[in-house]
Amino acid sequence: MGRTLAEKVWSDHVVHEGDGLPDLLYIDLHLIHEVTSPQAFDGLRAAGRPLRRPDLTVATEDHNIPTVDVDKPIADPVSRIQVETLRKNCEEFRVTLFPLGDVEQGIVHVVGPQMGLTQPGMTIVCGDSHTSTHGAFGALAFGIGTSEVEHVMATQTLPLKPFKTMAITVEGDLPVGVTSKDIILAVIAKIGTAGGQGYVLEYRGSAIKALSMEGRMTICNMSIEAGARAGMVAPDATTFEYIKGKSHAPQGSDWEAAVAYWETLVTDPDARFDKEITFDASTLRPFVTWGTNPGQGLPLDQVVPDPQSYTDPVERAAIESALAYMDLRPGQPLKEIPIDTVFLGSCTNGRIEDLRAAAHVIKNRKVADGVRLLVVPGSTRVRLEAESEGLDQIFLDAGAEWRGAGCSMCLAMNSDKLNPGERSASTSNRNFEGRQGPGGRTHLVSPEVAAATAVRGTLSAPADLVEV
Amino acid sequence: MEAFTAHTGTAAPLRRSNVDTDQIIPAEYLKRITRHGFEDALFASWRKDPEFVLNLPQYQDVSILITGPDFGTGSSREHAVWALQDYGFKVVLSSRFADIFRGNSGKGGLLTAVIPQTAIETLWEIIESSPNTPITVDLQDRKVTAGEYSCDFEVDDYVRWRLLEGLDDIGITLEQADAIDEFEKSRPSFKPVLTSSP
Ligand code: SF4
């Protein structure tokens, strides 16, 4: 019988078959950042173990850094110690680091692809759950905890049980104004936040094939919000084109060999998935979350749901508590929800195409009175590219704040936070209670919806804007 | 890691589903670079509410958490496991755990035992009417017992074996060092490498 993409990549990395125990899997690339690594480095030191492959390890500063005054020492002393600890550890263990101020610095899942380090058929891990992003290239990429970070540092392997496989097929043409973010929010709403648990999701079908690499990354990024550790898209000409010429792309005869291998990385026609789900792209609409987990979403033209119409007591209680936290009432049209802050950024939607799409919507328009629009590029390279295209000026003219690169208000570890009770429309991936600041309320949206919302002051799609 | 065979203690009911790791430990506490000292961070924003279950007098000194489905979703932060352990929890019972959280728990020695939601409801009723009921979680027999009530739980075989033996994963893997050396010899040259700084 044929094999799926995920099974092919898996079997090409088995160092030792488990025979009932987990397989030992070789890891091609280990990405590191300041928050989930210090205790792992301490563990190595305590055990007197070396870091096995510094040349397959790369670090950046992203979660806990400021996005203003990035040329000055970090003001928060606790954050500064964490970032300095990463710098010391990388020096001691000879790991390449892209610190604040470096052109390659940025969110770890933006950095890998932009340098060409993320390639088809690789195994990629990071102490961060959105490592699933890299699956857009046909890599098997997933988030790990700090103990596993230490394990990979010491051995360049991980003991793992094989995942099950799920095909998510999206066929047809996306309507105008509907984006990859809307696809993935609709998928999560359908299968639920635990629907992908134990699976690798493979996104396929004509609507996925038609997406750019950045669109595919947005989708794979949020596989974890559907409960799956990894999501993948089979590599194709779009993938090869994106990688070609990047600083770590294979060169010369290596390029030919690599592409020849990459072309084999497709699910065989006779392969079987453990589960299959199909979506019709032509029926999708701009999507937004109303609750406190990413599965609680609806098309933007709908109303806030009524908990009374749910029979499952666990689900009803979850909706009731979400509505109480979000301060929403059943039946309220989503488009009438007023927003205080719009956050454009994160590893989900902080890439150049996202900034272009939002800039296109907001050009010659103004951010509504009383609304704050924060634009945080996913990496310094993205920021510089946007500036060379004049996107920064479009945002600034509209009344937005233009920031340095990092995770910023996606997780609110730095000073970019919502105030208690404040409500955001955010292009990030998590609408958990307090995720963007204690007491803050989050609605997840696409970059286009974020920009339109900033202009109107309530959740809105670009189609809701008056012509300028 | 310390071996885990069985644990007996009192339990707290957390009547919530989809408890994500941002609730278990908010991001602001992740700035710390130590592996301990997170007890104050556990459920930090919920604990501001005097009615929150861990603030109630009858649930002090608990060591077992009994919670709704989909516990530990979201961020991969292992700090969530450390915060639960630092607070004093040895076991979490739920009908469903998120994958990364469950993996992290196994590494750190926190037992995440899966029982059906109906069993969760029964245990909730028991500890809500008699909070002092000692609950025993026996990893050898995979059994939860609360007074007259008992049920079997599920746990990954490999994790169970490691917990029972108190084994260190890295030590186990390093026994395969030769196989890793061998594998590395056959890796294709087109795979990316970083030139490590001197
Ligand atoms: S942008 Fe947000 S989700 Fe992505 S890595 Fe940073 S904190 Fe995590």
Side-chain angles (χ1 to χ4, degrees):
Chain A
M1 200 179 65
R3 293 179 302 160
T4 62
L5 165 60
E7 287 159 353
K8 289 182 182 181
V9 178
W10 182 284
S11 61
D12 284 351
H13 290 86
V14 175
V15 171
H16 178 79
E17 295 221 20
D19 293 327
L21 295 177
D23 287 346
L24 192 63
L25 219 61
Y26 197 80
I27 302 302
D28 288 321
L29 179 65
H30 187 193
L31 303 161
I32 286 177
H33 62 86
E34 70 276 23
V35 176
T36 56
S37 66
Q39 297 86 353
F41 280 115
D42 280 347
L44 285 188
R45 261 189 298 266
R49 288 172 176 144
L51 192 150
R52 183 179 175 99
R53 293 295 300 261
D55 58 333
L56 304 184
T57 311
V58 63
T60 184
E61 299 168 359
D62 56 1
H63 282 68
N64 190 13
I65 51 159
T67 56
V68 288
D69 296 333
V70 294
D71 47 349
K72 304 205 177 79
I74 298 174
D76 174 350
V78 190
S79 299
R80 189 167 65 230
I81 288 173
Q82 189 169 57
V83 172
E84 281 169 358
T85 302
L86 178 70
R87 292 176 187 175
K88 277 193 226 130
N89 282 330
C90 286
E91 201 182 322
E92 180 182 342
F93 289 92
R94 297 182 301 113
V95 171
T96 304
L97 165 70
F98 301 115
L100 265 180
D102 192 292
V103 63
E104 300 297 355
Q105 175 272 336
I107 305 172
V108 63
H109 312 307
V110 179
V111 170
Q114 84 183 5
M115 297 187 68
L117 286 167
T118 300
Q119 296 174 15
M122 291 173 68
T123 45
I124 301 178
V125 298
C126 173
D128 186 280
S129 59
H130 290 101
T131 309
S132 58
T133 313
H134 307 262
F137 292 78
L140 182 62
F142 48 90
I144 57 179
T146 296
S147 295
E148 289 172 310
V149 168
E150 184 181 336
H151 196 117
V152 176
M153 286 173 171
T155 71
Q156 204 59 33
T157 64
L158 273 180
L160 285 169
K161 283 209 168 164
F163 302 108
K164 291 179 286 180
T165 57
M166 187 189 302
I168 297 191
T169 306
V170 191
E171 292 288 357
D173 295 330
L174 279 180
V176 176
V178 181
T179 69
S180 57
K181 183 68 165 283
D182 303 306
I183 297 179
I184 189 62
L185 287 174
V187 167
I188 300 163
K190 169 98 179 255
I191 72 174
T193 55
Q197 205 180 87
Y199 292 92
V200 173
L201 311 181
E202 183 183 330
Y203 303 97
R204 33 202 283 131
S206 58
I208 303 295
K209 278 237 142 223
L211 291 173
S212 68
M213 284 318 295
E214 300 198 354
R216 295 177 190 181
M217 282 188 248
T218 300
I219 292 192
C220 288
N221 173 275
M222 289 191 73
S223 301
I224 182 72
E225 273 63 56
R229 272 177 101 166
M232 298 175 92
V233 175
D236 59 11
T238 306
T239 320
F240 310 153
E241 188 55 36
Y242 185 94
I243 296 170
K244 196 162 191 167
K246 296 248 181 329
S247 55
H248 283 80
Q251 307 289 330
S253 61
D254 267 351
W255 174 260
E256 311 301 326
V259 172
Y261 171 60
W262 297 345
E263 282 173 338
T264 67
L265 298 173
V266 289
T267 292
D268 296 326
D270 57 341
R272 282 251 287 284
F273 289 95
D274 296 302
K275 194 166 176 182
E276 299 198 39
I277 304 182
T278 306
F279 289 80
D280 177 356
S282 68
T283 62
L284 295 175
R285 286 170 282 165
F287 224 82
V288 55
T289 62
W290 48 265
T292 53
N293 74 57
Q296 294 176 319
L298 279 170
L300 182 54
D301 51 17
Q302 302 284 297
V303 300
V304 174
D306 184 353
Q308 295 313 319
S309 58
Y310 290 78
T311 47
D312 175 12
V314 174
E315 196 172 4
R316 193 187 318 133
I319 296 174
E320 278 168 355
S321 95
L323 294 191
Y325 183 83
M326 293 297 287
D327 191 26
L328 297 173
R329 44 182 175 72
Q332 192 174 356
L334 295 171
K335 284 194 184 176
E336 289 176 12
I337 298 174
I339 297 296
D340 307 296
T341 293
V342 176
F343 173 66
L344 176 60
S346 86
C347 59
T348 314
N349 282 126
R351 297 185 173 78
I352 189 70
E353 289 178 14
D354 301 308
L355 301 189
R356 284 185 196 135
H360 180 73
V361 172
I362 213 155
K363 189 170 186 173
N364 298 327
R365 293 185 162 106
K366 290 272 180 241
V367 174
D369 282 347
V371 174
R372 158 179 179 219
L373 169 59
L374 202 63
V375 187
V376 183
S379 70
T380 302
R381 194 173 276 285
V382 169
R383 180 169 66 78
L384 296 175
E385 196 173 351
E387 287 174 358
S388 75
E389 295 177 17
L391 304 184
D392 57 328
Q393 207 50 53
I394 295 175
F395 288 117
L396 289 166
D397 288 347
E401 294 172 44
W402 178 251
R403 295 293 188 85
C407 295
S408 177
M409 200 187 273
C410 174
L411 91 163
M413 263 187 97
N414 67 6
S415 56
D416 306 337
K417 286 187 199 334
L418 295 179
N419 290 318
E422 247 191 288
R423 187 186 295 282
S424 81
S426 175
T427 64
S428 55
N429 44 49
R430 288 187 172 140
N431 52 343
F432 299 149
E433 289 182 19
R435 169 78 178 184
Q436 298 190 290
R441 303 175 174 127
T442 302
H443 297 273
L444 301 177
V445 297
S446 71
E448 286 85 338
V449 168
T453 299
V455 172
R456 289 187 82 224
T458 59
L459 289 174
S460 305
D464 300 320
L465 298 176
V466 286
E467 290 291 323
V468 285
Chain B
M1 192 167 65
E2 232 176 278
F4 185 121
T5 43
H7 172 75
T8 301
T10 54
L14 183 62
R15 283 189 176 264
R16 301 205 46 140
S17 58
N18 255 300
V19 175
D20 57 75
T21 52
D22 273 82
Q23 306 317 314
I24 300 173
I25 178 168
E28 58 189 288
Y29 296 94
L30 310 185
K31 296 179 181 182
R32 301 176 185 168
I33 57 172
T34 55
R35 205 170 186 129
H36 291 288
F38 292 98
E39 55 274 7
D40 59 327
L42 181 71
F43 298 123
S45 71
W46 290 346
R47 265 161 77 192
K48 290 182 192 140
D49 172 6
E51 297 299 308
F52 180 63
V53 63
L54 295 184
N55 290 332
L56 302 178
Q58 64 271 38
Y59 299 116
Q60 302 307 307
D61 303 320
V62 289
S63 56
I64 299 170
L65 186 67
I66 305 181
T67 172
D70 299 321
F71 189 81
T73 57
S75 156
S76 61
R77 55 187 74 163
E78 198 160 320
H79 311 71
V81 173
W82 305 334
L84 285 158
Q85 291 182 315
D86 288 347
Y87 185 87
F89 285 110
K90 305 272 189 245
V91 181
V92 185
L93 295 169
S94 173
S95 65
R96 210 158 51 196
F97 292 97
D99 280 338
I100 301 180
F101 174 80
R102 200 177 39 189
N104 289 343
S105 300
K107 309 280 175 193
L110 176 73
L111 175 61
T112 49
V114 175
I115 57 176
Q117 179 62 21
T118 49
I120 294 281
E121 306 268 353
T122 306
L123 289 170
W124 277 343
E125 280 161 28
I126 293 172
I127 58 176
E128 279 169 350
S129 55
S130 324
N132 291 328
T133 313
I135 295 182
T136 298
V137 180
D138 189 328
L139 184 57
Q140 196 74 49
D141 298 338
R142 302 173 200 243
K143 224 178 218 357
V144 182
T145 312
E148 302 286 286
Y149 178 81
S150 84
C151 72
D152 293 341
F153 67 80
E154 284 171 39
V155 59
D156 181 87
D157 285 337
Y158 178 66
V159 171
R160 175 171 170 271
W161 170 68
R162 281 184 44 253
L163 287 174
L164 286 172
E165 304 285 331
L167 293 174
D168 158 29
D169 252 1
I170 298 179
I172 302 173
T173 296
L174 285 174
E175 289 170 16
Q176 304 291 336
D178 291 347
I180 302 173
D181 289 343
E182 209 44 52
F183 184 92
E184 283 180 332
K185 284 188 199 142
S186 61
R187 289 181 76 238
S189 63
F190 58 74
K191 298 252 181 186
V193 289
L194 290 121
T195 36
S196 54
S197 42

